[in-house]
Amino acid sequence: RAALLTAVMAFQNGIAVPKGIVMHQIWTGKHCPRILLDKPDGWSDFLKQVKAFHGDLKNVDAAKIKFSHDEDA
């Protein structure tokens, strides 16, 4: 879910993926995101997921978005 959220936010804000995605550690110096840094290749695997999600995203006009409850009306 974090990779998908990161991909969507990057897409919406024009942030380059993966180049523009950085760890919290870069800004704070803390061992963060710990859950990714503690796994071998955790950060690079995360960035691969973000890149995969990002590549599948496209702009959609809000008028074309339908919700499941719209079909029942």
Side-chain angles (χ1 to χ4, degrees), residues 6-8 10-11 15-17 49-58:
T6 302
V8 169
F11 184 82
I15 297 170
V17 175
Q49 287 181 318
V50 172
K51 189 174 180 180
F53 282 126
H54 190 266
D56 291 336
L57 296 174
K58 60 184 176 187

Side-chain angles (χ1 to χ4, degrees), residues 9-34:
M9 291 176 67
F11 184 82
Q12 290 176 333
N13 292 288
I15 297 170
V17 175
K19 188 177 179 180
I21 309 299
V22 297
M23 293 179 274
H24 187 233
Q25 181 182 44
I26 300 299
W27 306 106
T28 66
K30 296 178 181 178
H31 185 70
C32 184
R34 177 181 44 85

Side-chain angles (χ1 to χ4, degrees), residues 36-52:
L36 296 176
L37 293 174
D38 286 348
K39 288 194 271 183
D41 300 318
W43 182 249
S44 62
D45 289 345
F46 175 76
L47 290 178
K48 286 177 191 173
Q49 287 181 318
V50 172
K51 189 174 180 180

